[in-house]
Amino acid sequence: MKKNSIENHKETFYQEKYEELFQELKANVRKSTYVPELHISPEAGLMNDPNGLAYFNGKYHVFFQWYPFGATHGLKHWGHTTSENLVQWSEQEFALIPDQEYEKNGCYSGNAFEYKGELYLFYTANYKTEHGKIPKQAIAVMNKAGEIKKFPEPIISEGIEGLSGELRDPFVFEREGTFYMLLGGGMFEGAARSGFGDKGVIVLYQSSDLFDWEYVGLLDLPIPTGYMLECPSVVQIDGKDVLFLSPMGYEAEEKRFHNRFATIYLVGHLDLEHLRFEVEHWDEMDAGFDFYAPQAFMGKNEPLLFGWFGCGEQEQPIQENWQHGLTFPQKMWLEDNRLKRYPVSEIIEQFTEKKEMNTQEVRIDQAVYRLQLTAQTSIKVGKPDDYWELLFRPQGEVTISREHLAKTIDESYGMTRSTTISTFDCVDIFVDHSFIEIYINNGERVFSFNVYQKKEATIWSNDGILEGTLYF
Ligand code: FRU
């Protein structure tokens, strides 16, 4: 076998014999000018959902969906990286390699739960048959030395009558001494009996020991649920339950749900006794192009969230051996039941140099910066023939546009995204190579999206003065 090739690309799991190839891919990725510095991104290959997020044994642990051998959605592994400060991350060994028969089609998403000094990793063992998928949920346990052992067989290995085989993404948590697991899935209402369902559902299981699980029922959710719900997670924020869901099959509205798949949050009360979520408010989470499948978890002192910096199967304009990454770690709070989020202070503190601005344009030669605008002005970023825009329009409409980029991205889902704000207070734009996060009014609305431009850029405004601060 040639050292720089693998058999059955996309279907192959990591094995010792691929180590040299893997090192080569990583060395190539390190040469890219688009790889972010402050965001978690793959050393090689494609990264998708954040999994198993935890503050455990004095460190933050981030696991993630990963195909290590190329920028494509191949066989899913769990990667693993750790950090003491949410800024410097150190890559760990593969956490889960899909080398068992029961997970032959990949180790899909799930979460982590600390129990008796160990970290329990719950995941979906993806298992396809000729007649569709058989839903299997599996478990691996990580000890304090970082050794991960898979339990020899799935802890749940059958489906539920009336639901499709796409039942996945376990999220385990504890309430009053009982363990609960949420799973995302789809229910059949029409004639079809294979593939996804017609109506998204959240399934509830319970357990007293984390290994034996009993099916409880479906959670009543008084909101549209698409044809399938993915990646549930729930945390308490300011005394309320906040449930995060990633629905597939939402119809686009004027200003919401323009990405291939949507991401929503629900604020209210998770009533486990009556199997329902009492919703006080719900909305789309992010107004950008590249956000999906976030996971909330309890950090060292407060609930935090990471999202996948990507969505579905997107066309990328660069031919490199890596794709996607995760958003900044974000803290969350509620105001009037609206979820606000903002990068954790550890990220903000990385920007130590400061330059006040009161000018029509500013030149940037850094690839990582933060621009805070305190007056409402539309801006263009890049060069006259290669720029993206942030536009403030009448009636509080805020738009981002990728129409004028030289490297256009995933055009089939449109080149602009818009949202609405009631007043303008300030806007914070974080640029980290190809990763951009824009926070309007300190986290009232967030746009997460990628652009692939040269490092040197000019930021200019056609309709006013850039007033605010530039941080490096
Ligand atoms: C969401 C998702 C999950 C699944 C994983 C597979 O992006 O489709 O539902 O577990 O990705 O990589």
Side-chain angles (χ1 to χ4, degrees):
M1 187 186 49
K2 290 218 308 285
K3 80 171 176 15
N4 58 355
S5 71
I6 52 174
E7 302 137 272
N8 300 325
H9 182 45
K10 290 183 83 163
E11 303 297 329
T12 297
F13 60 82
Y14 175 83
Q15 293 155 67
E16 199 55 45
K17 62 181 177 185
Y18 298 132
E19 182 56 26
E20 206 176 328
L21 164 72
F22 184 50
Q23 292 304 334
E24 220 172 86
L25 290 172
K26 292 206 278 188
N28 269 321
V29 172
R30 281 196 291 272
K31 292 186 204 142
S32 166
T33 55
Y34 299 119
V35 171
E37 287 165 45
L38 292 174
H39 288 82
I40 295 173
S41 70
E43 289 188 291
L46 186 145
M47 180 181 285
N48 55 302
D49 317 354
N51 293 156
L53 305 178
Y55 183 75
F56 170 68
N57 197 25
K59 280 187 186 146
Y60 282 95
H61 292 261
V62 167
F63 300 85
F64 48 86
Q65 286 289 282
W66 190 25
Y67 177 63
F69 300 121
T72 181
H73 283 275
L75 194 67
K76 300 294 177 184
H77 299 53
W78 273 38
H80 181 200
T81 184
T82 61
S83 173
E84 279 168 29
N85 58 10
L86 293 166
V87 177
Q88 274 95 27
W89 292 91
S90 68
E91 220 54 49
Q92 305 294 311
E93 307 260 291
F94 285 88
L96 299 175
I97 297 175
D99 54 6
Q100 302 296 308
E101 165 62 20
Y102 62 80
E103 57 191 13
K104 65 184 174 66
N105 302 107
C107 298
Y108 270 21
S109 287
N111 84 325
F113 184 81
E114 186 177 344
Y115 184 60
K116 295 192 176 160
E118 296 186 301
L119 196 66
Y120 285 61
L121 308 174
F122 294 88
Y123 65 102
T124 296
N126 195 30
Y127 192 83
K128 291 183 192 165
T129 72
E130 264 172 56
H131 315 288
K133 283 192 185 177
I134 302 180
K136 294 179 192 285
Q137 318 305 329
I139 190 171
V141 180
M142 185 174 86
N143 64 18
K144 287 203 169 147
E147 293 152 353
I148 299 174
K149 267 207 192 94
K150 285 180 193 161
F151 190 62
E153 60 198 45
I155 45 171
I156 299 176
S157 46
E158 73 275 337
I160 293 162
E161 188 54 39
L163 301 194
S164 90
E166 303 282 354
L167 187 57
R168 58 189 188 222
D169 311 335
F171 184 88
V172 170
F173 59 103
E174 184 183 354
R175 289 272 163 104
E176 289 160 17
T178 300
F179 303 117
Y180 294 95
M181 178 192 288
L182 303 178
L183 287 171
M187 184 173 162
F188 293 119
E189 288 186 320
R193 282 289 175 268
S194 67
F196 294 98
D198 320 289
K199 181 182 170 358
V201 295
I202 292 296
V203 169
L204 186 74
Y205 277 80
Q206 70 177 36
S207 167
S208 55
D209 64 3
L210 295 174
F211 287 93
D212 255 342
W213 290 89
E214 179 197 344
Y215 171 63
V216 183
L218 301 180
L219 205 65
D220 186 14
L221 291 167
I223 55 155
T225 54
Y227 63 82
M228 158 95 190
L229 287 172
E230 299 192 308
C231 299
S233 69
V234 65
V235 284
Q236 287 188 317
I237 303 177
D238 299 336
K240 300 261 170 94
D241 291 320
V242 183
L243 177 63
F244 299 87
L245 300 174
S246 296
M248 299 166 109
Y250 266 16
E251 293 278 323
E253 296 176 355
E254 195 197 336
K255 296 228 171 54
R256 300 192 298 179
F257 314 132
H258 285 263
N259 293 343
R260 178 160 182 202
F261 303 130
T263 314
I264 59 170
Y265 73 91
L266 290 70
V267 176
H269 171 58
L270 175 59
D271 181 349
L272 292 164
E273 195 188 336
H274 300 103
L275 271 179
R276 64 182 179 215
F277 195 93
E278 286 160 14
V279 181
E280 294 169 24
H281 178 72
W282 74 278
D283 201 356
E284 183 171 48
M285 279 201 69
D286 195 283
F289 300 90
D290 305 294
F291 184 91
Y292 191 60
Q295 187 175 93
F297 71 110
M298 192 57 199
K300 192 173 177 180
N301 307 306
E302 54 185 351
L304 299 177
L305 179 115
F306 280 91
W308 172 27
F309 217 111
C311 182
E313 288 179 39
Q314 297 168 312
E315 285 165 31
Q316 289 300 94
I318 54 164
Q319 304 307 313
E320 294 185 359
N321 279 317
W322 72 285
Q323 200 175 338
H324 304 309
L326 305 184
T327 64
F328 280 144
Q330 293 154 4
K331 57 183 184 175
M332 298 177 283
W333 68 102
L334 297 178
E335 272 174 39
D336 271 344
N337 274 342
R338 267 66 184 163
L339 181 79
K340 307 282 163 91
R341 59 197 168 98
Y342 202 73
V344 294
S345 56
E346 290 88 338
I347 294 287
I348 306 295
E349 285 155 16
Q350 296 309 301
F351 298 89
T352 49
E353 277 178 57
K354 202 170 159 177
K355 192 166 130 190
E356 301 300 332
M357 276 179 336
N358 197 321
T359 160
Q360 203 147 10
E361 65 169 53
V362 59
R363 265 194 64 76
I364 309 271
D365 47 21
Q366 272 91 341
V368 184
Y369 60 90
R370 166 188 175 199
L371 171 71
Q372 185 176 59
L373 296 174
T374 45
Q376 182 175 314
T377 318
S378 296
I379 58 165
K380 296 181 168 51
V381 182
K383 300 205 164 68
D385 56 354
D386 179 16
Y387 61 89
W388 62 268
E389 289 173 280
L390 171 67
L391 301 155
F392 290 95
R393 293 169 154 161
Q395 265 114 40
E397 184 174 309
V398 190
T399 298
I400 52 166
S401 165
R402 299 199 289 201
E403 279 164 296
H404 302 283
L405 286 170
K407 289 189 182 350
T408 52
I409 307 171
D410 207 29
E411 288 169 64
S412 48
Y413 286 92
M415 311 277 261
T416 61
R417 293 287 184 274
S418 296
T419 189
T420 312
I421 53 169
S422 49
T423 53
F424 176 89
D425 181 12
C426 67
V427 53
D428 274 286
I429 302 167
F430 294 87
V431 176
D432 181 8
H433 295 254
S434 55
F435 286 44
I436 302 179
E437 293 185 21
I438 300 182
Y439 294 82
I440 318 264
N441 295 346
N442 296 307
E444 176 184 332
R445 287 278 160 199
V446 187
F447 291 96
S448 307
F449 62 106
N450 289 120
V451 302
Y452 300 90
Q453 291 175 303
K454 293 248 162 58
K455 191 167 91 178
E456 298 75 28
T458 300
I459 304 174
W460 73 98
S461 157
N462 285 347
D463 59 356
I465 295 286
L466 300 172
E467 220 179 289
T469 314
L470 199 56
Y471 299 84
F472 297 107

